[in-house]
Amino acid sequence: MNALTENWVTIGDISDIPVRGARCVKNGETSIAVFRTADDQIFALEDKCPHNNGPLSQGIVHDGCVTCPLHNWVIALKDGTAQGADEGQTKSYPIKLDGETILLSLTANR
Amino acid sequence: MSKKQKLVVIGNGMAPGRMLEHLFDISPDMYDVTIFNAEPRVNYNRLMLSPVLSGEKAYEDIITHDDAWYDDNHITLHKSAKVAQIDRVAKTVTSQNGITAAYDKLVIATGSNPFVIPLPGHDLEGVLTYRDLDDVAKMLEAAKTGGRAVVIGGGLLGLEAAAGLKMQGMDVTVLHLMPTLMERQLDVAAGYLLEKAFVDLGVDVITEANSKQIIGVNGKVSKIILDDGTEIDAAIVVMAVGIRPSLELAKSAGLETNRGVVVSDDMRTSDPDIFALGECAEHRGMCYGLVAPLYEMGKTIAAELSGQSSAYTGSVTATKLKVTGIDLYSAGDFAEGDDREEIVLRDAQAGVYKRLVLQNNIIIGAVLYGETSDGPWFFDLLKKKSNISEMRDTLIFGQAYQGGAPLDPMAAVAALPDDAEICGCNGICKSKITGAIAEKGLTTLDGVRAHTKASASCGTCTGLVEQLLALTLGDAYDPAAVQPMCGCTDLGHNDVRRLIKAKELKSIPAVLQELEWHTSCGCAKCRPALNYYLICDWPDEYADDYQSRFINERVHANIQKDGTYSVVPRMWGGMTSAKELRAIADVVDKFNIPAVKVTGGQRIDMLGISKEDLPAVWSDLGDAGFISGQAYAKGLRTVKTCVGTDWCRFGTQDSTGFGIRIEKFMWGSWTPAKVKMAVSGCPRNCSEATCKDVGIICVDSGYEIHFAGAAGLDIKPTQVLCSAKTEDETLEIIVALVQMYREQGHYLERIYKWAKRIGVEEIRRQIVDDHGKRKAYFDRFVFSQKFAQIDPWSERVSGKDKHEFNPIATLNLEAAE
Ligand code: SRM
Ligand SMILES: Cc1cc2nc3c(=O)[nH]c(=O)nc-3n(C[C@H](O)[C@H](O)[C@H](O)COP(=O)(O)OP(=O)(O)OC[C@H]3O[C@@H](n4cnc5c(N)ncnc54)[C@H](O)[C@@H]3O)c2cc1C
Ligand code: SF4
Ligand code: FES
């Protein structure tokens, strides 16, 4: 399958995620963190911090970023890149809303 | 050693304070100085009374010279000593309370008296003026019982008083005789915008209001009646209708007086050994009511006293209103006239109004409302009488538009000429500030304040001074030196805590909006801090924001490096039982918990539990009677104990029982940082009470209360707070101490750091000496515990925050490649 033909799966409703919070989607061994920001945008990142695999889903969400709970790296929700002086990137996944319903694609962005 | 001359100063206000600083700069050893002050205190920044009234600052924040300063400069300061008589023949002054001092040179700096309209009822209790700290204290006292405050006078002082009283929760009505507010500084349009802003603040404004009579009940104000018959209920009436130079003393000494004490350009009165300074002086027919001119007068007197000749030639003044959220600047003369032209800019949406009055292409007046950053630039052009014809078309847009310079505030500051005035109050120009930064190696705002006085009076030029620091130091300027809470705000923890109270902010969005956060929803640094401050200040009203808590406090367990959690139940005072240990053993087996450890805090830690299992683990522990040990919380952690009189041959009191009592009383409370306690049964101190946040050492005669210790990143032995006779008394003291810390500590500041900042003496004064204060702290703690002592584990076992512990979806799909 190529990156243009996404394979969307329904994972739940936006109201299942607290505002400025996250929930996880488990897929086998992989855990994907789905974030909801203050302005109801949603993002999906692999639940692993580029620093030391900290669970990003457990961090504090602010503006378009999440602060990792283990050592406070700040990761951009839109593409998983570490902010500030830190370097690294977490995999991100395409995600969209159909009304209230959240659709996720398991084809990680490059 | 040559004998020093005697300098006596009458009045200890802002003007003489500054004069003495200049004098000590030029001739440090020339005079023995004696000051008489009618007020019972040192010299403070009178301009900042309004922030004290509104709750944005405390008295301690506005002291200009503390007691040490008088000592260091060998000044004799007589507090509460009003001078009643000047004997010019004997060259002495004598105070009402009988102190006489001889002078070689005398400075009269008695300031002004607030004018009280002699309405019927003006002498009732509750009719106040607004001039000194005592007036503020009276207003704050009145605000406690609430009701309506009526402020007579819609000028600078009246409006600042009205805004402050409103922020203290009173209903407020402003009565103003003229059709628009602050008509002496503002034109009609700006007066209108200002009135609207006050109405938006919730203040009633009645213009063209002529007060007729104040009615009292039992000698106390109850209402006020206007000429047109309107009646307004009033718990207090504040008269802010103007000031009169205080000149009776000079007059009775036979000095020449008119509206004020008349002085010539060298600031001498009609007696060459006597100077008059400040608001009481009249120079070239002018009496001033703002500090900038007074400081210039002070400079002249300092020079004259040092034997140099100097002349004060008068000042042009500019005014800023210091009400949070209202930006207003006015300078010069803005009446209309045939020979005058004006340039006006309005932006209704942004609430901006700017008007310049020109005469022959020279700015003679400026009124800025809503956006005032160009005020000092216009004022500079005005004072220098610069010809503005070349930039006339863009003048009103401000400095950033001139000369094609980009719209960048830094560029605008860079473009200011060296002699442009930055701090109007203190007459400090740009080059003086940049010079001091370079020569003295200054890197902080406080440094600039200390060395130049810029931004040290009314504070409205602080932004400009900071830009100058940034400009001069480049990357070496670290604004963090002024320590804002985080990158989202310029405010420090103290200001934020005070403003939350003063403005009654009760949610995180309210704080971000009202305190003008730079980011839309804060960050991982400020949000947990704000969440704590709000919980502490409004325990019954604020709804805890879990999304602003660190994960440990959100799921009530400690996150580990592999993303699993550890669970630590409370073992009260370190005591446990076979039943408890058996329950723990069962849980460990049932959930395959990989590690069990005895912690350094006298209890047991189960490590390596997956998040999904947490509620079930808690459920089983709960069945055995355990609650969360809050090993993760910025809150009460452990109360370590030793075996005490129960078993130990040296025990003097029941240290175990008391430790358990304390833990049961105080668990659940959130605190700025973690709080650890211990009770030892005797000075052998087996529970290590002398390195805890709060520690108690039992002795034969009672309890020795220790605090401010640490044994983590820093190692600090505790200090003794006091001793107490009974358990009850000890409990009241330590609870009050923790509550004081809860109310004042900065987020993540342990007790020992807070104590260092506040001073052990002050803590002792409030907690040990002042029984009323202690009781009030204790009661507030008890009140907030009503909302805090809910076991978070059992809450979650019964379903709260279920979403935290389960994935939103579990898929079993091949990841697409
Ligand atoms: C479990 C325990 C170690 C142990 O196995 O004994 C422990 C474990 C941690 N300590 Fe501690 N401390 C433990 C007793 C202590 C003690 C000893 C004591 O309490 O008597 C100290 C020194 C006393 C003091 O606090 O002054 C201590 C000083 C610290 C510090 C330094 C604090 C400071 O302000 O200097 C930190 C770092 C921090 O809080 O920022 C810390 C931080 C931590 C953290 C929370 C690190 C973290 O952020 O993840 C560790 C969590 C592990 C976990 O998940 O359980 N721990 N820690 C102890 C739990 C006690 C309890 O029953 O609640
Ligand atoms: C609430 C408020 C806000 C203000 N805001 C501003 C502002 O934003 N900008 C600005 O430029 N100005 C402002 N002012 C005005 C400014 O504070 C005064 O111009 C300045 O403080 C006057 O200084 P002074 O030394 O002449 O008199 P004061 O500071 O009034 O000091 C006079 C002192 O002399 C004492 N005294 C009087 N008689 C005797 C006696 N016989 N013996 C001994 N002691 C005596 C008095 O108790 C008093 O302490 C404000 C004033 C107030 C009250
Ligand atoms: S000393 Fe405390 S913080 Fe450091 S590794 Fe041990 S438990 Fe963790
Ligand atoms: S694992 Fe995320 S910051 Fe270290």
Side-chain angles (χ1 to χ4, degrees):
Chain A
M1 217 178 294
N2 71 48
L4 290 173
T5 52
E6 310 285 6
N7 201 353
W8 296 104
V9 235
T10 301
I11 56 163
D13 275 3
I14 185 160
S15 57
D16 294 335
I17 309 178
V19 177
R20 296 172 301 161
R23 299 282 300 273
C24 291
V25 174
K26 297 262 186 227
N27 185 34
E29 288 299 287
T30 315
S31 182
I32 298 169
V34 181
F35 298 89
R36 174 178 178 188
T37 60
D39 52 358
D40 281 346
Q41 297 192 60
I42 48 168
F43 300 95
L45 299 179
E46 188 177 9
D47 197 14
K48 272 186 177 176
C49 175
H51 173 224
N52 237 342
N53 299 333
L56 296 175
S57 57
Q58 320 288 293
I60 290 182
V61 177
H62 49 95
D63 294 320
C65 297
V66 59
T67 295
C68 176
L70 292 193
H71 317 97
N72 294 331
W73 279 33
V74 177
I75 311 298
L77 296 177
K78 75 173 181 333
D79 59 3
T81 51
Q83 304 293 292
D86 299 320
E87 280 178 28
Q89 185 172 19
T90 292
K91 267 193 220 162
S92 63
Y93 294 85
I95 190 163
K96 66 180 183 186
L97 277 176
D98 176 10
E100 298 282 285
T101 310
I102 308 176
L103 298 171
L104 175 72
S105 160
L106 295 175
T107 318
N109 290 326
R110 295 257 87 212
Chain B
M1 214 174 79
S2 71
K3 202 165 156 297
K4 289 189 189 177
Q5 294 192 63
K6 294 192 206 61
L7 172 65
V8 171
V9 182
I10 306 176
N12 193 33
M14 303 186 64
R18 181 55 58 84
M19 176 205 80
L20 289 172
E21 286 180 12
H22 286 303
L23 179 65
F24 297 146
D25 270 354
I26 327 176
S27 2
D29 299 315
M30 203 159 154
Y31 289 95
D32 272 328
V33 182
T34 302
I35 307 179
F36 286 84
N37 192 17
E39 283 187 68
R41 52 185 72 88
V42 291
N43 179 21
Y44 60 95
N45 187 343
R46 199 175 299 284
L47 280 58
M48 287 289 143
L49 284 177
S50 296
V52 174
L53 176 61
S54 65
E56 291 162 282
K57 283 206 177 343
Y59 170 59
E60 294 73 39
D61 300 332
I62 69 165
I63 291 175
T64 311
H65 294 139
D66 56 11
D67 284 308
W69 184 84
Y70 295 93
D71 282 349
D72 293 348
N73 290 294
H74 312 293
I75 298 173
T76 310
L77 169 63
H78 298 296
K79 298 178 191 170
S80 301
K82 182 167 183 175
V83 172
Q85 198 204 347
I86 303 172
D87 183 338
R88 287 166 54 198
V89 182
K91 292 186 102 174
T92 59
V93 304
T94 304
S95 67
Q96 267 173 357
N97 56 351
I99 306 169
T100 299
Y103 66 82
D104 296 306
K105 293 280 184 290
L106 179 66
V107 174
I108 300 178
T110 46
S112 318
N113 298 318
F115 182 63
V116 176
I117 317 172
L119 295 175
H122 73 269
D123 46 5
L124 286 165
E125 188 188 332
V127 179
L128 308 174
T129 54
Y130 189 19
R131 180 72 193 172
D132 60 25
L133 190 69
D134 299 319
D135 297 328
V136 173
K138 284 182 206 152
M139 287 190 241
L140 288 175
E141 191 55 39
K144 276 196 205 143
T145 38
R148 180 169 297 274
V150 173
V151 177
I152 307 184
L156 182 92
L157 285 189
L159 292 177
E160 290 191 4
L165 289 165
K166 183 75 205 173
M167 279 176 81
Q168 291 296 346
M170 292 192 88
D171 296 325
V172 180
T173 303
V174 174
L175 302 178
H176 191 53
L177 188 60
M178 305 303 284
T180 56
L181 297 176
M182 283 184 76
E183 77 288 343
R184 282 196 300 159
Q185 290 89 10
L186 296 184
D187 58 12
V188 175
Y192 160 79
L193 284 170
L194 182 62
E195 182 173 334
K196 217 170 96 196
F198 268 82
V199 171
D200 287 346
L201 284 180
V203 172
D204 296 337
V205 178
I206 307 182
T207 52
E208 296 180 80
N210 202 357
S211 315
K212 186 169 152 200
Q213 192 178 359
I214 306 173
I215 307 287
V217 174
N218 299 331
K220 225 190 145 297
V221 171
S222 80
K223 64 181 160 193
I224 183 161
I225 303 180
L226 307 186
D227 256 358
D228 64 5
T230 310
E231 296 192 4
I232 304 164
D233 286 339
I236 52 170
V237 171
V238 180
M239 291 223 193
V241 289
I243 51 175
R244 297 284 179 275
S246 160
L247 47 72
E248 293 68 27
L249 185 64
K251 204 172 186 173
S252 62
L255 298 172
E256 185 191 343
T257 57
N258 180 29
R259 217 148 59 85
V261 184
V262 176
V263 294
S264 42
D265 282 3
D266 60 5
M267 298 304 297
R268 281 171 215 263
T269 63
S270 49
D271 179 333
D273 287 330
I274 304 182
F275 297 82
L277 165 64
E279 284 189 350
C280 65
E282 175 179 329
H283 171 262
R284 298 194 186 174
M286 288 288 289
C287 290
Y288 294 95
L290 294 168
V291 289
L294 314 186
Y295 287 168
E296 288 180 36
M297 296 176 183
K299 230 187 237 173
T300 297
I301 300 185
E304 290 282 338
L305 284 172
S306 307
Q308 305 164 3
S309 88
S310 171
Y312 171 68
T313 55
S315 310
V316 203
T317 56
T319 314
K320 269 202 89 152
L321 183 71
K322 303 184 300 299
V323 173
T324 308
I326 298 180
D327 283 328
L328 181 157
Y329 187 97
S330 98
D333 174 3
F334 38 80
E336 287 172 31
D338 283 349
D339 56 341
R340 297 175 175 191
E341 301 167 278
E342 59 175 19
I343 309 178
V344 174
L345 173 80
R346 280 178 206 271
D347 180 344
Q349 196 142 26
V352 170
Y353 168 81
K354 301 184 183 184
R355 175 162 168 255
L356 297 175
V357 180
L358 308 178
Q359 197 171 28
N360 304 324
N361 283 320
I362 288 168
I363 300 179
I364 59 165
V367 184
L368 309 178
Y369 186 93
E371 211 293 302
T372 55
S373 55
D374 280 313
W377 184 65
F378 289 134
F379 189 48
D380 193 50
L381 294 172
L382 181 152
K383 283 205 297 189
K384 289 189 189 140
K385 300 193 167 67
S386 310
N387 187 311
I388 53 81
S389 45
E390 288 199 344
M391 50 184 170
R392 193 183 162 118
D393 292 344
T394 52
L395 183 67
I396 191 84
F397 298 112
Q399 184 188 15
Y401 273 88
Q402 311 310 325
L407 255 178
D408 161 10
M410 287 292 267
V413 175
L416 283 178
D418 271 352
D419 60 349
E421 185 174 271
I422 301 290
C423 172
C425 290
N426 295 293
I428 309 295
C429 67
K430 177 179 164 187
S431 62
K432 181 135 187 212
I433 297 172
T434 50
I437 294 171
E439 280 158 33
K440 304 258 168 20
L442 307 179
T443 55
T444 62
L445 186 60
D446 279 345
V448 174
R449 283 182 180 151
H451 287 277
T452 68
K453 297 279 175 271
S455 142
S457 291
C458 80
T460 46
C461 64
T462 303
L464 284 175
V465 174
E466 283 181 314
Q467 284 165 0
L468 283 177
L469 272 161
L471 204 63
T472 317
L473 297 174
D475 287 343
Y477 176 56
D478 173 13
V482 304
Q483 272 165 3
M485 266 179 72
C486 65
C488 305
T489 175
D490 300 329
L491 297 170
H493 286 269
N494 266 349
D495 288 332
V496 170
R497 288 213 78 166
R498 231 191 285 284
L499 287 163
I500 285 176
K501 287 235 116 181
K503 303 179 109 183
E504 301 201 6
L505 305 177
K506 297 186 183 172
S507 70
I508 290 181
V511 174
L512 304 191
Q513 177 62 33
E514 292 294 321
L515 305 187
E516 301 180 351
W517 243 239
H518 309 324
T519 49
S520 69
C521 77
C523 72
K525 254 189 177 164
C526 58
R527 284 231 312 271
L530 295 178
N531 192 52
Y532 167 69
Y533 294 155
L534 292 162
I535 280 215
C536 174
D537 288 345
W538 318 109
D540 51 338
E541 294 176 78
Y542 176 64
D544 199 335
D545 178 22
Y546 276 87
Q547 299 313 134
S548 295
R549 284 191 178 273
F550 183 64
I551 182 64
N552 288 359
E553 294 188 349
R554 207 171 337 134
V555 299
H556 298 275
N558 293 59
I559 195 166
Q560 305 294 315
K561 62 185 225 176
D562 60 357
T564 62
Y565 288 82
S566 76
V567 162
V568 185
R570 272 200 193 280
M571 282 184 173
W572 307 102
M575 291 295 284
T576 184
S577 65
K579 176 175 165 264
E580 284 189 350
L581 293 172
R582 200 167 286 123
I584 289 180
D586 288 344
V587 167
V588 171
D589 284 346
K590 179 167 166 190
F591 295 94
N592 271 324
I593 296 175
V596 184
K597 181 180 182 302
V598 175
T599 73
Q602 295 188 340
R603 46 202 193 161
I604 291 177
D605 194 356
M606 289 160 263
L607 299 116
I609 305 172
S610 77
K611 197 178 180 191
E612 290 81 1
D613 282 345
L614 288 173
V617 167
W618 293 334
S619 172
D620 284 9
L621 290 170
D623 289 344
F626 283 116
I627 66 168
S628 169
Q630 282 155 322
Y632 45 80
K634 307 290 173 248
L636 180 72
R637 298 277 178 97
T638 49
V639 181
K640 288 179 36 165
T641 71
C642 70
V643 288
T645 43
D646 278 353
W647 299 96
C648 178
R649 63 202 165 104
F650 294 117
T652 62
Q653 311 280 352
D654 178 12
S655 52
T656 324
F658 191 27
I660 294 173
R661 180 175 172 200
I662 294 172
E663 192 169 354
K664 292 209 157 154
F665 196 87
M666 298 186 74
W667 73 271
S669 57
W670 300 103
T671 42
K674 53 189 162 191
V675 171
K676 298 175 177 178
M677 302 196 183
V679 186
S680 285
C682 84
R684 288 172 191 74
N685 190 20
C686 299
S687 64
E688 300 165 319
T690 50
C691 61
K692 294 289 177 275
D693 298 287
V694 179
I696 292 160
I697 308 270
C698 301
V699 288
D700 268 332
S701 57
Y703 304 83
E704 210 173 68
I705 303 175
H706 288 241
F707 81 123
L713 299 165
D714 285 317
I715 305 209
K716 288 251 169 337
T718 48
Q719 311 196 36
V720 178
L721 180 68
C722 63
S723 292
K725 290 228 155 29
T726 63
E727 260 193 20
D728 287 350
E729 189 188 353
T730 309
L731 186 71
E732 181 172 291
I733 292 173
I734 62 175
V735 165
L737 169 71
V738 168
Q739 178 66 13
M740 181 176 176
Y741 162 62
R742 293 185 74 226
E743 291 176 14
Q744 301 182 353
H746 296 172
Y747 193 63
L748 300 185
E749 181 180 55
R750 289 286 286 269
I751 285 194
Y752 71 95
K753 292 189 179 153
W754 164 75
K756 189 168 164 212
R757 183 161 63 76
I758 303 289
V760 173
E761 275 318 307
E762 180 60 22
I763 295 170
R764 221 172 257 144
R765 194 176 68 73
Q766 297 199 22
I767 300 298
V768 183
D769 304 341
D770 186 336
H771 292 234
K773 267 224 157 82
R774 181 205 299 174
K775 184 72 179 34
Y777 279 123
F778 180 85
D779 290 345
R780 286 201 291 276
F781 183 84
V782 170
F783 177 71
S784 80
Q785 283 296 77
K786 282 208 274 194
F787 312 94
Q789 283 199 331
I790 299 165
D791 175 37
W793 287 356
S794 66
E795 257 191 319
R796 275 152 195 80
V797 169
S798 47
K800 186 167 188 210
D801 294 341
K802 248 206 316 260
H803 63 84
E804 271 290 359
F805 305 97
N806 302 320
I808 185 172
T810 305
L811 314 169
N812 272 310
L813 298 173
E814 280 290 298
E817 281 306 314

